[in-house]
Amino acid sequence: MTRAAFAAYRLAGVVGYPFLKPYVGWRVARGKEDRRRLKERYGIAGMTRPEPGPLVWIHAASVGESAAVAPLVRAIAADGLGVVMTTGTTTSARFVEERLAECAIHQYVPLDVRPAVRRFLDHWRPDLAIVAESEIWPLTIHELSARRIPQILVNARLSDRSFQRWKGKPRLAEALFENFAQVVAQSDIDAERFRLLGAPAVTLAGNLKADADPLPADRALLQQLEAAIGQRPRFAAISTHPGEEEIVAEVHARLKGRHEGLLTILVPRHVERGAAIARMLAGKGLVVKRRSLDELPDQGTDVYLGDTMGELGVYLRLSEIAFIGKSITGQGGQNPIEAAMLSTGILTGRYVQNFRDSYQRLLRNGGARLVRDTDTLAAQLDGLLLDPMQRMAMAGAALRSVGEMRGALDRTLLALDPFVHPLRLSVSLERRGRVVAGR
């Protein structure tokens, strides 16, 4: 059955390969692909492999995962190892090129079809493959295993939905997960899930995002917005999903009469929805300014819509309190560590199972509070806007919670050492040989 499933997956890749070009073209039209570098998605390298010496391939799907593994990338490169880092989005590509260019070569991850994966591996010849979080690509896993390249999953997590899906296909799950030489899990629950699905070696390290750098912010833009907003009371609603923007709009309408000059900073998870959200807000009688149109809030602005990518660090620095979405009308929640790291108190709905451990600590310490609906969100915000001491206490508790979560990087490096040390030794011997040859 497992062999048949793999064969069917490979066959689907072969049959579907001619149709990938229109699909990738559609993604280009939506701004999800870099037109100049499309060949990389087909495994055709955009740069040469650094020679000589071992090379580590590190993959992170998007910006959040890239930020989480950035300290790990720097640590591996500091050992003298070459690093090629792949991502799957244009924003994560910019992140890597801006913040890791000195220690890693960026490429877009190849599509999970045999020709693309084989071209990629033939060119880069990695000695070790490290994948962040929950990127499971069957054909890539199979090709790495066939070449006897160790595969390691770091900062690994499995959502409730993903775990149930894999648990329903136990033989297929085991056939995939048994290929990982090491799984370094975020939490006890994640670790146990990977063991149950057949991963042979699992360790617990915690969440690498707690050891990452704070989100960056364009200083000039931040100062410009701070000057435009002045001393107005404000709150942020970030990473919102459909249905939650309507809740935030209703909360603003209820509170604006109680808090003169109230400004809501609304940052949807998917910025391409910006125009539709702006129309909805205007339909409710709210005055909206949009960052994507280079607009600034004025004294008459109700909602400042942060419909841009890569500027969350700016928006979070503008408010002491933030509601984090995908938690009331959505399912699973969004990462709260980025907000907590910037001393932001957090309000969240109940559906945060994908970040269960982080939220449990934040709630226990008082850095986060639960809300159920429009009424409870409005009530919590009303109290916090009236009481700066409460806001300060929440912000401090959020930052303290991040401090308690730190240490995952050291534990991850320890788990990786049996695989990295031989490569490090190879570099050392090679350098010694060059010194001897030069005498």
Side-chain angles (χ1 to χ4, degrees):
M1 185 187 301
T2 301
R3 285 197 298 271
F6 275 121
Y9 186 86
R10 287 195 298 271
L11 179 61
V14 171
V15 173
Y17 192 74
F19 301 99
L20 288 176
K21 191 172 182 179
Y23 167 70
V24 173
W26 174 81
R27 286 178 57 84
V28 169
R30 293 175 62 87
K32 295 180 178 292
E33 298 282 352
D34 186 340
R35 186 185 301 274
R36 300 165 303 167
R37 298 174 60 184
L38 285 182
K39 63 181 183 179
E40 293 173 24
R41 297 290 268 149
Y42 297 95
I44 301 170
M47 301 183 72
T48 58
R49 185 193 193 278
E51 301 284 2
L55 181 78
V56 178
W57 173 22
I58 299 178
H59 174 66
S62 58
V63 173
E65 292 85 353
S66 299
V69 299
L72 184 64
V73 173
R74 294 189 186 102
I76 290 173
D79 285 330
L81 304 179
V83 176
V84 57
M85 183 168 178
T86 57
T87 64
T89 65
T90 55
T91 50
S92 55
R94 286 196 295 272
F95 175 92
V96 174
E97 288 163 353
E98 289 170 3
R99 303 183 68 176
L100 295 171
E102 77 285 356
C103 59
I105 297 170
H106 177 266
Q107 296 281 277
Y108 282 101
V109 66
L111 297 164
D112 195 46
V113 291
R114 179 175 284 178
V117 174
R118 285 186 169 178
R119 286 191 202 105
F120 180 89
L121 295 177
D122 287 345
H123 176 83
W124 293 104
R125 305 189 313 279
D127 299 277
L128 175 65
I130 299 174
V131 180
E133 297 208 5
S134 54
E135 287 282 285
I136 308 297
W137 294 106
L139 202 138
T140 301
I141 290 172
H142 175 78
E143 287 294 329
L144 286 166
S145 181
R147 297 173 189 231
R148 300 187 181 278
I149 299 170
Q151 304 175 63
I152 301 174
L153 200 58
V154 300
N155 214 38
R157 68 181 182 93
L158 277 175
S159 67
D160 294 351
R161 183 179 300 178
S162 293
F163 177 60
Q164 291 301 324
R165 186 166 61 245
W166 284 116
K167 196 168 69 168
K169 303 170 184 175
R171 291 185 180 179
L172 181 59
E174 184 174 1
L176 285 173
F177 289 108
E178 69 179 2
N179 289 286
F180 286 100
Q182 183 76 53
V183 173
V184 188
Q186 287 189 23
S187 70
D188 289 314
I189 292 175
D190 292 312
E192 183 59 23
R193 286 175 172 177
F194 280 107
R195 290 189 188 101
L196 289 171
L197 293 176
V202 182
T203 58
L204 175 64
N207 195 334
L208 281 172
K209 290 178 180 176
D211 288 316
D213 297 329
L215 289 173
D218 182 309
R219 185 57 53 185
L221 173 61
L222 180 59
Q223 291 174 349
Q224 193 177 26
L225 285 170
E226 285 174 336
I229 296 170
Q231 298 302 310
R232 295 177 63 181
R234 83 290 300 259
F235 75 93
I238 67 169
S239 298
T240 56
H241 281 241
E244 290 171 333
E245 293 89 10
E246 287 81 359
I247 291 173
V248 170
E250 175 63 26
V251 167
H252 180 94
R254 291 188 191 185
L255 297 182
K256 64 183 293 187
R258 291 177 53 80
H259 304 274
E260 186 178 355
L262 178 65
L263 177 70
T264 296
I265 301 165
L266 177 57
V267 187
R269 176 66 174 175
H270 301 109
V271 298
E272 62 270 19
R273 297 176 52 239
I277 294 170
R279 287 194 297 270
M280 178 274 294
L281 295 170
K284 293 180 178 294
L286 300 177
V287 178
V288 184
K289 297 291 185 182
R290 295 176 61 186
R291 165 63 182 145
S292 64
L293 301 180
D294 289 326
E295 297 173 337
L296 290 173
D298 55 32
Q299 290 304 307
T301 304
D302 290 301
V303 179
Y304 187 61
L305 186 56
D307 53 346
T308 54
M309 295 291 290
E311 295 184 325
L312 185 58
V314 171
Y315 305 130
L316 284 172
R317 285 173 171 86
L318 292 170
S319 179
E320 297 173 309
I321 199 77
F323 165 72
I324 301 182
K326 202 182 177 183
S327 61
I328 294 181
T329 61
Q331 285 282 339
Q334 297 286 176
N335 172 34
I337 294 176
E338 295 167 336
M341 195 176 287
L342 291 171
S343 298
T344 304
I346 294 165
L347 299 175
T348 178
R350 294 171 290 174
Y351 306 114
V352 293
Q353 56 269 33
N354 290 352
F355 301 91
R356 187 180 286 114
D357 278 23
S358 299
Y359 272 109
Q360 284 177 345
R361 189 179 296 271
L362 284 161
L363 290 165
R364 185 167 60 247
N365 288 347
R369 298 180 184 179
L370 285 176
V371 297
R372 296 187 305 276
D373 48 26
T374 305
D375 292 341
T376 51
L377 178 58
Q380 287 285 358
L381 280 169
D382 188 29
L384 289 165
L385 289 168
L386 288 169
D387 190 345
M389 296 303 292
Q390 276 195 64
R391 297 199 302 272
M392 189 181 302
M394 279 190 76
L399 186 60
R400 185 171 66 253
S401 299
V402 175
E404 293 174 2
M405 287 187 264
R406 288 199 172 103
L409 176 61
D410 290 339
R411 290 187 288 271
T412 300
L413 287 170
L414 185 63
L416 290 176
D417 194 63
F419 306 93
V420 175
H421 180 71
L423 305 181
R424 193 188 302 129
L425 183 61
S426 172
V427 171
S428 177
L429 291 173
E430 184 180 318
R431 287 174 177 169
R432 191 177 305 169
R434 287 202 300 268
V435 170
V436 171
R439 286 179 180 174

mmCIF file of all heavy atoms in Angstrom, residues 112-140:
data_model
loop_
_atom_site.group_PDB
_atom_site.id
_atom_site.type_symbol
_atom_site.label_atom_id
_atom_site.label_comp_id
_atom_site.label_asym_id
_atom_site.label_seq_id
_atom_site.Cartn_x
_atom_site.Cartn_y
_atom_site.Cartn_z
ATOM 1 N N ASP A 112 8.228 19.930 -5.599
ATOM 2 C CA ASP A 112 8.404 18.540 -5.173
ATOM 3 C C ASP A 112 8.030 17.569 -6.298
ATOM 4 O O ASP A 112 7.109 16.756 -6.176
ATOM 5 C CB ASP A 112 7.577 18.255 -3.920
ATOM 6 C CG ASP A 112 8.001 16.968 -3.228
ATOM 7 O OD1 ASP A 112 9.221 16.766 -3.062
ATOM 8 O OD2 ASP A 112 7.116 16.166 -2.861
ATOM 9 N N VAL A 113 8.770 17.681 -7.391
ATOM 10 C CA VAL A 113 8.660 16.751 -8.517
ATOM 11 C C VAL A 113 10.075 16.287 -8.847
ATOM 12 O O VAL A 113 11.038 17.038 -8.684
ATOM 13 C CB VAL A 113 7.983 17.390 -9.745
ATOM 14 C CG1 VAL A 113 6.514 17.659 -9.482
ATOM 15 C CG2 VAL A 113 8.683 18.667 -10.153
ATOM 16 N N ARG A 114 10.180 15.063 -9.316
ATOM 17 C CA ARG A 114 11.494 14.432 -9.440
ATOM 18 C C ARG A 114 12.507 15.237 -10.257
ATOM 19 O O ARG A 114 13.637 15.429 -9.790
ATOM 20 C CB ARG A 114 11.344 13.026 -10.017
ATOM 21 C CG ARG A 114 12.683 12.314 -10.207
ATOM 22 C CD ARG A 114 12.505 10.896 -10.667
ATOM 23 N NE ARG A 114 12.079 10.041 -9.571
ATOM 24 C CZ ARG A 114 11.807 8.741 -9.702
ATOM 25 N NH1 ARG A 114 11.898 8.173 -10.888
ATOM 26 N NH2 ARG A 114 11.446 8.026 -8.660
ATOM 27 N N PRO A 115 12.168 15.744 -11.456
ATOM 28 C CA PRO A 115 13.193 16.480 -12.222
ATOM 29 C C PRO A 115 13.739 17.678 -11.458
ATOM 30 O O PRO A 115 14.949 17.928 -11.459
ATOM 31 C CB PRO A 115 12.447 16.907 -13.489
ATOM 32 C CG PRO A 115 11.313 15.954 -13.616
ATOM 33 C CD PRO A 115 10.907 15.634 -12.214
ATOM 34 N N ALA A 116 12.860 18.436 -10.800
ATOM 35 C CA ALA A 116 13.299 19.636 -10.086
ATOM 36 C C ALA A 116 14.165 19.281 -8.889
ATOM 37 O O ALA A 116 15.230 19.874 -8.663
ATOM 38 C CB ALA A 116 12.084 20.449 -9.649
ATOM 39 N N VAL A 117 13.730 18.297 -8.094
ATOM 40 C CA VAL A 117 14.483 17.912 -6.908
ATOM 41 C C VAL A 117 15.843 17.341 -7.297
ATOM 42 O O VAL A 117 16.868 17.664 -6.680
ATOM 43 C CB VAL A 117 13.678 16.898 -6.066
ATOM 44 C CG1 VAL A 117 14.516 16.378 -4.908
ATOM 45 C CG2 VAL A 117 12.392 17.534 -5.540
ATOM 46 N N ARG A 118 15.877 16.518 -8.324
ATOM 47 C CA ARG A 118 17.152 15.916 -8.739
ATOM 48 C C ARG A 118 18.124 16.967 -9.266
ATOM 49 O O ARG A 118 19.328 16.914 -8.982
ATOM 50 C CB ARG A 118 16.908 14.833 -9.786
ATOM 51 C CG ARG A 118 16.331 13.566 -9.175
ATOM 52 C CD ARG A 118 16.227 12.453 -10.188
ATOM 53 N NE ARG A 118 15.915 11.187 -9.526
ATOM 54 C CZ ARG A 118 15.716 10.041 -10.158
ATOM 55 N NH1 ARG A 118 15.815 9.990 -11.480
ATOM 56 N NH2 ARG A 118 15.443 8.949 -9.481
ATOM 57 N N ARG A 119 17.630 17.940 -10.040
ATOM 58 C CA ARG A 119 18.511 19.011 -10.502
ATOM 59 C C ARG A 119 19.103 19.771 -9.319
ATOM 60 O O ARG A 119 20.293 20.089 -9.298
ATOM 61 C CB ARG A 119 17.728 19.990 -11.390
ATOM 62 C CG ARG A 119 17.397 19.488 -12.772
ATOM 63 C CD ARG A 119 16.869 20.637 -13.635
ATOM 64 N NE ARG A 119 16.087 20.113 -14.750
ATOM 65 C CZ ARG A 119 14.773 20.150 -14.821
ATOM 66 N NH1 ARG A 119 14.068 20.697 -13.849
ATOM 67 N NH2 ARG A 119 14.150 19.654 -15.871
ATOM 68 N N PHE A 120 18.250 20.081 -8.367
ATOM 69 C CA PHE A 120 18.710 20.822 -7.183
ATOM 70 C C PHE A 120 19.794 20.044 -6.443
ATOM 71 O O PHE A 120 20.860 20.578 -6.116
ATOM 72 C CB PHE A 120 17.517 21.099 -6.268
ATOM 73 C CG PHE A 120 17.873 21.854 -5.014
ATOM 74 C CD1 PHE A 120 17.861 23.235 -4.986
ATOM 75 C CD2 PHE A 120 18.218 21.169 -3.845
ATOM 76 C CE1 PHE A 120 18.188 23.935 -3.832
ATOM 77 C CE2 PHE A 120 18.551 21.847 -2.692
ATOM 78 C CZ PHE A 120 18.541 23.237 -2.682
ATOM 79 N N LEU A 121 19.530 18.780 -6.173
ATOM 80 C CA LEU A 121 20.484 17.973 -5.406
ATOM 81 C C LEU A 121 21.755 17.688 -6.201
ATOM 82 O O LEU A 121 22.849 17.651 -5.628
ATOM 83 C CB LEU A 121 19.829 16.668 -4.956
ATOM 84 C CG LEU A 121 18.663 16.814 -3.967
ATOM 85 C CD1 LEU A 121 18.063 15.459 -3.652
ATOM 86 C CD2 LEU A 121 19.114 17.498 -2.685
ATOM 87 N N ASP A 122 21.636 17.493 -7.496
ATOM 88 C CA ASP A 122 22.824 17.257 -8.323
ATOM 89 C C ASP A 122 23.758 18.463 -8.299
ATOM 90 O O ASP A 122 24.991 18.314 -8.308
ATOM 91 C CB ASP A 122 22.417 16.965 -9.774
ATOM 92 C CG ASP A 122 21.801 15.589 -9.946
ATOM 93 O OD1 ASP A 122 21.942 14.752 -9.040
ATOM 94 O OD2 ASP A 122 21.155 15.362 -11.001
ATOM 95 N N HIS A 123 23.172 19.654 -8.286
ATOM 96 C CA HIS A 123 24.001 20.860 -8.311
ATOM 97 C C HIS A 123 24.599 21.165 -6.937
ATOM 98 O O HIS A 123 25.812 21.400 -6.826
ATOM 99 C CB HIS A 123 23.169 22.055 -8.782
ATOM 100 C CG HIS A 123 23.939 23.355 -8.743
ATOM 101 N ND1 HIS A 123 24.777 23.744 -9.763
ATOM 102 C CD2 HIS A 123 24.027 24.332 -7.790
ATOM 103 C CE1 HIS A 123 25.330 24.909 -9.450
ATOM 104 N NE2 HIS A 123 24.895 25.287 -8.269
ATOM 105 N N TRP A 124 23.770 21.155 -5.899
ATOM 106 C CA TRP A 124 24.239 21.627 -4.587
ATOM 107 C C TRP A 124 24.942 20.539 -3.784
ATOM 108 O O TRP A 124 25.759 20.842 -2.918
ATOM 109 C CB TRP A 124 23.061 22.209 -3.791
ATOM 110 C CG TRP A 124 22.539 23.461 -4.418
ATOM 111 C CD1 TRP A 124 21.397 23.607 -5.152
ATOM 112 C CD2 TRP A 124 23.167 24.745 -4.409
ATOM 113 N NE1 TRP A 124 21.267 24.899 -5.585
ATOM 114 C CE2 TRP A 124 22.340 25.625 -5.146
ATOM 115 C CE3 TRP A 124 24.350 25.252 -3.851
ATOM 116 C CZ2 TRP A 124 22.663 26.970 -5.332
ATOM 117 C CZ3 TRP A 124 24.665 26.581 -4.041
ATOM 118 C CH2 TRP A 124 23.827 27.431 -4.771
ATOM 119 N N ARG A 125 24.620 19.271 -4.010
ATOM 120 C CA ARG A 125 25.262 18.132 -3.326
ATOM 121 C C ARG A 125 25.376 18.378 -1.815
ATOM 122 O O ARG A 125 26.478 18.367 -1.248
ATOM 123 C CB ARG A 125 26.653 17.857 -3.917
ATOM 124 C CG ARG A 125 26.662 17.649 -5.413
ATOM 125 C CD ARG A 125 28.009 17.170 -5.935
ATOM 126 N NE ARG A 125 29.146 17.920 -5.422
ATOM 127 C CZ ARG A 125 29.548 19.099 -5.887
ATOM 128 N NH1 ARG A 125 28.895 19.686 -6.887
ATOM 129 N NH2 ARG A 125 30.601 19.716 -5.373
ATOM 130 N N PRO A 126 24.257 18.590 -1.136
ATOM 131 C CA PRO A 126 24.337 18.857 0.304
ATOM 132 C C PRO A 126 24.809 17.639 1.081
ATOM 133 O O PRO A 126 24.533 16.496 0.705
ATOM 134 C CB PRO A 126 22.895 19.227 0.675
ATOM 135 C CG PRO A 126 22.055 18.538 -0.346
ATOM 136 C CD PRO A 126 22.867 18.574 -1.626
ATOM 137 N N ASP A 127 25.521 17.904 2.167
ATOM 138 C CA ASP A 127 25.969 16.827 3.058
ATOM 139 C C ASP A 127 24.980 16.605 4.195
ATOM 140 O O ASP A 127 25.032 15.584 4.874
ATOM 141 C CB ASP A 127 27.338 17.187 3.640
ATOM 142 C CG ASP A 127 28.390 17.337 2.554
ATOM 143 O OD1 ASP A 127 28.936 16.304 2.138
ATOM 144 O OD2 ASP A 127 28.642 18.484 2.133
ATOM 145 N N LEU A 128 24.086 17.560 4.405
ATOM 146 C CA LEU A 128 23.110 17.496 5.486
ATOM 147 C C LEU A 128 21.925 18.362 5.074
ATOM 148 O O LEU A 128 22.113 19.444 4.511
ATOM 149 C CB LEU A 128 23.724 18.006 6.793
ATOM 150 C CG LEU A 128 22.822 18.128 8.027
ATOM 151 C CD1 LEU A 128 22.341 16.741 8.462
ATOM 152 C CD2 LEU A 128 23.582 18.811 9.171
ATOM 153 N N ALA A 129 20.705 17.900 5.356
ATOM 154 C CA ALA A 129 19.488 18.669 5.054
ATOM 155 C C ALA A 129 18.739 18.936 6.357
ATOM 156 O O ALA A 129 18.428 18.001 7.101
ATOM 157 C CB ALA A 129 18.599 17.913 4.080
ATOM 158 N N ILE A 130 18.454 20.204 6.629
ATOM 159 C CA ILE A 130 17.738 20.619 7.837
ATOM 160 C C ILE A 130 16.478 21.353 7.403
ATOM 161 O O ILE A 130 16.543 22.323 6.647
ATOM 162 C CB ILE A 130 18.613 21.530 8.713
ATOM 163 C CG1 ILE A 130 19.870 20.783 9.164
ATOM 164 C CG2 ILE A 130 17.830 22.036 9.916
ATOM 165 C CD1 ILE A 130 20.868 21.656 9.916
ATOM 166 N N VAL A 131 15.338 20.883 7.882
ATOM 167 C CA VAL A 131 14.045 21.443 7.489
ATOM 168 C C VAL A 131 13.354 21.996 8.726
ATOM 169 O O VAL A 131 13.352 21.361 9.788
ATOM 170 C CB VAL A 131 13.166 20.361 6.822
ATOM 171 C CG1 VAL A 131 11.820 20.937 6.415
ATOM 172 C CG2 VAL A 131 13.871 19.765 5.618
ATOM 173 N N ALA A 132 12.749 23.182 8.604
ATOM 174 C CA ALA A 132 12.111 23.831 9.740
ATOM 175 C C ALA A 132 10.626 23.496 9.836
ATOM 176 O O ALA A 132 9.910 23.491 8.833
ATOM 177 C CB ALA A 132 12.282 25.348 9.637
ATOM 178 N N GLU A 133 10.206 23.178 11.029
ATOM 179 C CA GLU A 133 8.814 23.057 11.462
ATOM 180 C C GLU A 133 8.075 21.862 10.885
ATOM 181 O O GLU A 133 8.192 20.769 11.391
ATOM 182 C CB GLU A 133 8.067 24.367 11.238
ATOM 183 C CG GLU A 133 8.670 25.498 12.069
ATOM 184 C CD GLU A 133 7.704 26.581 12.453
ATOM 185 O OE1 GLU A 133 6.491 26.466 12.181
ATOM 186 O OE2 GLU A 133 8.174 27.584 13.035
ATOM 187 N N SER A 134 7.290 22.020 9.814
ATOM 188 C CA SER A 134 6.418 20.916 9.396
ATOM 189 C C SER A 134 6.363 20.761 7.881
ATOM 190 O O SER A 134 5.331 20.375 7.332
ATOM 191 C CB SER A 134 4.998 21.134 9.935
ATOM 192 O OG SER A 134 4.506 22.403 9.555
ATOM 193 N N GLU A 135 7.461 21.074 7.211
ATOM 194 C CA GLU A 135 7.524 20.933 5.754
ATOM 195 C C GLU A 135 7.815 19.472 5.396
ATOM 196 O O GLU A 135 8.951 19.014 5.546
ATOM 197 C CB GLU A 135 8.612 21.840 5.190
ATOM 198 C CG GLU A 135 8.250 23.311 5.211
ATOM 199 C CD GLU A 135 7.301 23.691 4.083
ATOM 200 O OE1 GLU A 135 7.727 23.782 2.931
ATOM 201 O OE2 GLU A 135 6.109 23.894 4.395
ATOM 202 N N ILE A 136 6.810 18.764 4.956
ATOM 203 C CA ILE A 136 6.950 17.355 4.612
ATOM 204 C C ILE A 136 6.669 17.197 3.121
ATOM 205 O O ILE A 136 5.527 17.268 2.670
ATOM 206 C CB ILE A 136 5.963 16.473 5.427
ATOM 207 C CG1 ILE A 136 6.102 16.774 6.931
ATOM 208 C CG2 ILE A 136 6.192 15.003 5.127
ATOM 209 C CD1 ILE A 136 7.455 16.458 7.513
ATOM 210 N N TRP A 137 7.744 16.977 2.329
ATOM 211 C CA TRP A 137 7.619 16.816 0.880
ATOM 212 C C TRP A 137 8.083 15.406 0.518
ATOM 213 O O TRP A 137 9.270 15.117 0.536
ATOM 214 C CB TRP A 137 8.458 17.869 0.160
ATOM 215 C CG TRP A 137 7.947 19.260 0.380
ATOM 216 C CD1 TRP A 137 8.486 20.228 1.168
ATOM 217 C CD2 TRP A 137 6.774 19.829 -0.194
ATOM 218 N NE1 TRP A 137 7.727 21.369 1.127
ATOM 219 C CE2 TRP A 137 6.660 21.151 0.290
ATOM 220 C CE3 TRP A 137 5.800 19.356 -1.085
ATOM 221 C CZ2 TRP A 137 5.611 21.999 -0.078
ATOM 222 C CZ3 TRP A 137 4.753 20.204 -1.450
ATOM 223 C CH2 TRP A 137 4.679 21.504 -0.955
ATOM 224 N N PRO A 138 7.147 14.503 0.213
ATOM 225 C CA PRO A 138 7.482 13.089 0.046
ATOM 226 C C PRO A 138 8.596 12.809 -0.946
ATOM 227 O O PRO A 138 9.511 12.025 -0.656
ATOM 228 C CB PRO A 138 6.153 12.469 -0.413
ATOM 229 C CG PRO A 138 5.112 13.361 0.181
ATOM 230 C CD PRO A 138 5.689 14.736 0.119
ATOM 231 N N LEU A 139 8.556 13.413 -2.130
ATOM 232 C CA LEU A 139 9.561 13.070 -3.128
ATOM 233 C C LEU A 139 10.936 13.595 -2.738
ATOM 234 O O LEU A 139 11.950 12.923 -2.936
ATOM 235 C CB LEU A 139 9.147 13.613 -4.497
ATOM 236 C CG LEU A 139 9.833 12.874 -5.647
ATOM 237 C CD1 LEU A 139 8.858 12.603 -6.779
ATOM 238 C CD2 LEU A 139 11.018 13.672 -6.166
ATOM 239 N N THR A 140 10.971 14.784 -2.150
ATOM 240 C CA THR A 140 12.253 15.324 -1.678
ATOM 241 C C THR A 140 12.838 14.427 -0.595
ATOM 242 O O THR A 140 14.043 14.132 -0.600
ATOM 243 C CB THR A 140 12.060 16.750 -1.140
ATOM 244 O OG1 THR A 140 11.525 17.581 -2.189
ATOM 245 C CG2 THR A 140 13.365 17.328 -0.652
#
